[in-house]
Amino acid sequence: MTQAHPNVLDKGIGARLSRKEDARFLTGRGQYVGDLRMPDMLDVAFVRSPLAHARIQGVDKPEGLEHLVFTWQDLAGVKPILAASGLPGFRTSLQYPLAHDKVRFVGEMVAMCVAPTRAQAEDIADQVLVDYAELPVVADMRMALDDASPTRLHEAWDANVFLETQVQRGEPVAASDGVRVSRQLSTSRQCMMPLEGRGVLCWWDSRLDQLVMTSAAQLPHINRTGLAECLGLDEGQIRVVSPDVGGGFGYKGLLLPEEICCAWLAMHLGRPIRWLEDRREHLGANANCREHAYDITVQVSAEGVLTGIECDAVVDSGAYSSYPFSACLEAAQVGSILPGPYRMAHFQCRTRSAATNKPPILPYRGVARTGVCFALEVMLDFAARELGIEPYELRERSLVRREDMPFTNITGKTFDSGDYALAMRRAVETLGWRGWRERQHAHQGGGAVPQRRIGLGLAVFCEQGAHGTSVYHGWGIPMVPGYEQCHVRMTADGVLEVQVGIHSHGQGLETTLAQVAHSVLSIDPARVRVLHGDTATSPYSTGTWGSRCAVMAGGAVGTACEALGARLRTIAAGLLQVDAESLVFADGGVQVPGGAALSLNEIAHTWYRAPQRLPAGVDPGGLALTAGYRMQPDGGTFSYACHACAVEVDTATGLVRLLDYAVCEDGGVLLNPMIVEGQLLGGLAQGIGTALYEEMPFDAEGQPLASTLADYMIPGAGEMPTVRLDHLETPSPFSKFGQKGIGEGGAIAPPAAIVNAINDALAGIGAQLLSVPASPARVLTAIREARA
């Protein structure tokens, strides 16, 4: 049902072009860090703390192997990681690449061991003895907020809180008008699960006097900056190469302590050093996100109009701030994005980023929005149930209206375009809501209470993507994006090289950016080479995060190709003896409509190989240039969607089965609808994991309880329902081609929509799910509590 964009070309913007990069991935020719080997290379294994909080009283290196074991005291000249923030009241934390003085979470690195193979390095690590003096553990974020607690993760702090924020807009509406619903909701800590774990290979290039780090990284330039700060090198002495990366989702969007350690060791030993993360390291020490708690109240008028939200939100931020986003990226956003796509008169929100003896929280696909959408959308369903109306009826009365776009909401977010109510209606229609309702009533309307109960749920959200300078500066994030740049160069045989600073690790950007170039220059995407992931050749960029690449890098590629096109037209006009303004790009070349034409190959050949034919006045910069792009205004684009689903809940086992699923989304002009659908389905799988399966529990001593994939459950193909995707395409008036960021949307709504469906199924017996994942144990507990 995709609405055609008027400028759709066969292979340009809007085309369902097959992904260029898939050939190498599907035939095993991708090149990941784990595929790389260098002569004389050594592998690293780390000694990691088995305790969540303890003083390090001594480290004994195995006799005869002391030269192969390194602790913080050995890392001369290295500085700790410091992720600062410009927000008032923010407390900074120093994270030493190898623990100094004490450890603050299970899995924190204490020593590194090096050997010709990983197995040998692990054998050495097993012989390292660390003398720990245990300290009291702060394992629960609520406990961390207790001012009376004598335990401080960071001794200089006066509270175990990175940051507290307060937002107050408007005045409360009289409580007697309508319903006021309050609940305590929570989301569990998760691990991101890219196919490829983290990995890094470092070596010193003595010819260039330069550290070369090949890393599975989303932000090569930011990693270079962080490395320079920690190692005391200038950035010109560091080259970061990010090869093929097997999924990121935010997990690879930060500076790693492992990268610092391997870089120092490569310089210290003068040999290539590699570390490849194993899954136990990943689960037990490195990937944790999305642990939120909400004490939330929504007020709805008797007519079903949302009038206000009050919330006290806590996010478990772990022990340190990860570089560069800091520990407050999630909680600080909650206060600004909780209102979602709704109009209201009153909003009040307090947020706290709690410091606990757990690994640092990391940004994960849909940063903060997944928890926020869960909290608000579940509450709206409770309110609709109290008023006795369908949940979509309540939402439609408060959603931002199409005729009000651009619309600035109660927290100052400016929505660029869209018809949120239409998207919701189409999702409801696509699901066949009324038919499912009739089936539900027929199934559950008899005298006996059925064991298997049917429920319907939906969730609406908006996703702010492509955040610009003003947004990140306002959030106090030190990594503030500016102009996104693109360098284009046409070779002598007419191939277009497009160099960008963002990184593609599954998004299909090598294809979509080539489609942008085709739309501007009419060049066959097969003759466009998109180059990325190397700080030595790509223009500076803050990297790939926040659904920004299609908007920012797409805009930069379009701008650069337009500038190159002007130069190509000038040359062609001289060769054809016509006015440059009369020329258009078509069929892989430049032509006078209905008349003479030159191929891009011929024009490039003239510049490089036959310059005597060049007309006077051509740009001496030739067929290579760099252009920058920044959206104006730069508050971001707002894609949005409605997810609707039907579920079956087995009240005897607690198992939840997805019966049907429909999505209607609006990503503005879709650069490649097929790739967008792949993004949505991949995100949906992750959202289903959040809703039903994925959880990293910790015990009271801060021990992770799901450190293998036997314990940490992730959805597979068998857990994916039949999904029907419906597209709206409302162009953004702010972006270059009307496109919006959409990479995270699939993962945001599923927990809310699925839990709403579960609660709908259980409403007849009075049970309520207030936490995700909605595991069988949680479902059964809710049923038992209702029956009690």
Side-chain angles (χ1 to χ4, degrees):
M1 293 191 224
T2 304
Q3 299 174 359
H5 184 249
N7 295 323
V8 166
L9 302 171
D10 276 353
K11 298 180 180 180
I13 293 172
R16 290 177 172 267
L17 189 66
S18 295
R19 298 194 343 161
K20 292 168 49 126
E21 48 268 78
D22 282 352
R24 71 177 187 272
F25 295 141
L26 295 175
T27 57
R29 292 181 288 113
Q31 190 175 75
Y32 303 88
V33 176
D35 296 319
L36 305 176
R37 296 197 64 85
M38 295 185 69
D40 216 23
M41 185 180 77
L42 298 173
D43 276 314
V44 165
F46 290 98
V47 177
R48 296 180 181 272
S49 171
L51 301 174
H53 202 193
R55 296 236 174 249
I56 300 173
Q57 303 197 130
V59 179
D60 290 335
K61 302 178 182 180
E63 187 175 351
L65 300 174
E66 294 90 347
H67 62 295
L68 301 177
V69 179
F70 302 87
T71 66
W72 173 251
Q73 285 69 27
D74 298 310
L75 271 61
V78 177
K79 296 177 181 177
I81 299 170
L82 176 62
S85 171
L87 293 173
F90 177 80
R91 297 176 177 90
T92 58
S93 60
L94 293 178
Q95 182 181 8
Y96 290 83
L98 295 175
H100 168 64
D101 186 39
K102 75 174 187 175
V103 293
R104 293 180 174 86
F105 64 91
V106 172
E108 185 167 3
M109 300 184 305
V110 177
M112 61 177 167
C113 306
V114 64
T117 69
R118 171 66 180 254
Q120 291 171 297
E122 288 181 354
D123 288 342
I124 296 171
D126 287 341
Q127 300 175 60
V128 177
L129 300 177
V130 183
D131 184 9
Y132 296 102
E134 292 192 52
L135 295 169
V137 173
V138 180
D140 180 83
M141 56 182 166
R142 296 284 190 187
M143 183 172 65
L145 302 179
D146 184 359
D147 290 336
S149 172
T151 304
R152 291 284 181 266
L153 265 71
H154 302 278
E155 286 78 358
W157 292 12
D158 57 357
N160 289 320
V161 177
F162 286 96
L163 182 71
E164 177 174 339
T165 69
Q166 296 271 4
V167 178
Q168 172 108 28
R169 301 286 188 275
E171 295 299 324
V173 178
S176 59
D177 181 17
V179 299
R180 185 176 171 87
V181 182
S182 299
R183 296 288 191 279
Q184 289 184 333
L185 305 173
S186 64
T187 61
S188 296
R189 186 164 278 239
Q190 285 182 249
C191 291
M192 288 161 271
M193 200 58 60
L195 284 174
E196 176 206 29
R198 293 165 172 171
V200 57
L201 169 62
C202 295
W203 59 285
W204 186 264
D205 186 332
S206 56
R207 181 179 69 87
L208 297 178
D209 194 34
Q210 187 178 58
L211 171 71
V212 181
M213 183 178 82
T214 301
S215 178
Q218 296 176 221
L219 322 174
H221 290 90
I222 298 299
N223 283 38
R224 180 174 70 168
T225 298
L227 275 177
E229 293 174 1
C230 291
L231 296 175
L233 300 174
D234 63 66
E235 293 195 35
Q237 286 183 287
I238 300 174
R239 176 186 177 191
V240 176
V241 179
S242 187
D244 287 330
V245 173
F249 314 122
Y251 182 51
K252 298 169 184 174
L254 64 151
L255 175 66
L256 307 180
E258 291 91 346
E259 290 173 331
I260 298 168
C261 290
C262 291
W264 178 87
L265 198 56
M267 294 189 296
H268 179 71
L269 297 181
R271 296 175 66 175
I273 301 294
R274 185 179 68 171
W275 168 73
L276 299 178
E277 178 184 63
D278 64 30
R279 197 59 78 181
R280 186 177 287 274
E281 284 180 298
H282 167 206
L283 286 167
N286 283 338
N288 284 281
C289 54
R290 282 191 179 160
E291 189 171 3
H292 295 201
Y294 297 88
D295 193 339
I296 183 170
T297 298
V298 297
Q299 188 163 331
V300 178
S301 73
E303 295 74 32
V305 175
L306 177 65
T307 58
I309 302 173
E310 296 174 3
C311 182
D312 189 338
V314 183
V315 174
D316 190 325
S317 296
Y320 302 103
S321 271
S322 291
Y323 183 99
F325 291 104
S326 91
C328 302
L329 181 65
E330 292 255 334
Q333 279 196 77
V334 169
S336 65
I337 66 177
L338 183 57
Y342 299 100
R343 295 170 286 120
M344 66 199 69
H346 170 61
F347 177 66
Q348 179 179 320
C349 186
R350 176 194 190 193
T351 75
R352 284 168 289 177
S353 303
T356 63
N357 290 118
K358 296 176 185 173
I361 194 171
L362 307 179
Y364 182 27
R365 192 176 195 172
V367 180
R369 292 168 183 80
T370 303
V372 161
C373 177
F374 173 74
L376 179 56
E377 292 294 302
V378 168
M379 294 300 292
L380 292 181
D381 263 38
F382 285 141
R385 196 167 292 118
E386 286 207 19
L387 289 171
I389 61 177
E390 286 283 17
Y392 56 82
E393 294 174 341
L394 183 147
R395 287 168 172 81
E396 183 150 8
R397 295 164 192 174
S398 297
L399 283 168
V400 174
R401 295 182 293 250
R402 175 182 56 81
E403 58 268 25
D404 293 334
M405 297 293 183
F407 177 84
T408 301
N409 79 345
I410 197 167
T411 59
K413 300 285 185 186
T414 299
F415 299 164
D416 46 358
S417 65
D419 192 333
Y420 289 67
L422 176 61
M424 183 182 65
R425 289 194 296 270
R426 283 174 57 158
V428 167
E429 179 184 347
T430 301
L431 184 75
W433 188 282
R434 288 187 176 87
W436 275 109
R437 205 46 113 194
E438 292 171 2
R439 180 175 170 182
Q440 179 194 47
H441 289 158
H443 181 65
Q444 293 163 201
V449 177
Q451 176 181 323
R452 292 184 172 89
R453 301 179 66 84
I454 294 172
L456 306 181
L458 60 80
V460 182
F461 71 91
C462 58
E463 176 195 354
Q464 184 181 12
H467 314 68
T469 303
S470 61
V471 177
Y472 259 55
H473 172 69
W475 284 349
I477 304 293
M479 184 193 72
V480 179
Y483 284 92
E484 191 71 22
Q485 292 185 315
C486 170
H487 181 78
V488 291
R489 177 175 59 194
M490 186 157 282
T491 64
D493 58 355
V495 169
L496 182 66
E497 295 178 346
V498 175
Q499 298 174 354
V500 288
I502 51 91
H503 190 275
S504 182
H505 41 268
Q507 300 93 330
L509 289 165
E510 293 176 25
T511 301
T512 51
L513 296 183
Q515 290 180 257
V516 171
H518 172 78
S519 292
V520 176
L521 298 175
S522 186
I523 185 172
D524 189 334
R527 292 180 62 78
V528 179
R529 292 176 54 82
V530 176
L531 306 173
H532 58 95
D534 189 339
T535 59
T537 59
S538 59
Y540 182 86
S541 172
T542 53
T544 298
W545 50 271
S547 297
R548 66 189 303 271
C549 293
V551 175
M552 302 303 291
V557 171
T559 301
C561 287
E562 288 170 351
L564 179 64
R567 296 183 182 183
L568 290 167
R569 272 199 303 267
T570 298
I571 297 172
L575 297 176
L576 296 173
Q577 295 297 296
V578 298
D579 179 32
E581 296 303 316
S582 69
L583 295 172
V584 297
F585 288 95
D587 300 325
V590 180
Q591 62 181 244
V592 178
L598 284 173
S599 70
L600 296 180
N601 192 344
E602 292 172 304
I603 300 171
H605 178 85
T606 301
W607 171 264
Y608 289 105
R609 307 292 295 275
Q612 70 278 4
R613 298 179 57 207
L614 290 173
V618 296
D619 193 313
L623 303 187
L625 59 88
T626 299
Y629 171 79
R630 187 167 76 181
M631 192 170 59
Q632 294 294 342
D634 70 349
T637 61
F638 283 81
S639 59
Y640 59 94
C642 177
H643 289 217
C645 64
V647 306
E648 178 187 80
V649 182
D650 189 323
T651 58
T653 64
L655 289 172
V656 176
R657 186 162 67 97
L658 295 173
L659 302 175
D660 200 359
Y661 208 103
V663 177
C664 182
E665 60 76 31
D666 188 343
V669 173
L670 305 183
L671 300 185
N672 185 318
M674 180 186 68
I675 287 179
V676 168
E677 289 166 4
Q679 288 273 53
L680 291 172
L681 291 172
L684 175 59
Q686 291 175 309
I688 290 171
T690 301
L692 297 175
Y693 304 106
E694 297 186 45
E695 180 175 11
M696 173 55 76
F698 286 77
D699 67 14
E701 297 304 315
Q703 292 290 333
L705 302 181
S707 59
T708 73
L709 289 176
D711 305 301
Y712 188 86
M713 304 301 293
I714 58 174
E719 285 69 52
M720 285 293 289
T722 299
V723 182
R724 282 167 286 164
L725 299 178
D726 183 14
H727 301 294
L728 299 179
E729 286 194 54
T730 311
S732 170
F734 302 147
S735 64
K736 188 167 184 65
F737 301 106
Q739 75 275 39
K740 301 180 181 182
I742 198 173
E744 300 168 84
I748 293 172
I754 292 170
V755 167
N756 278 338
I758 295 170
N759 285 337
D760 183 58
L762 299 179
I765 57 177
Q768 296 180 355
L769 262 290
L770 303 177
S771 299
V772 287
S775 62
R778 282 196 175 94
V779 172
L780 292 175
T781 297
I783 293 172
R784 280 196 300 269
E785 290 175 350
R787 287 173 176 166

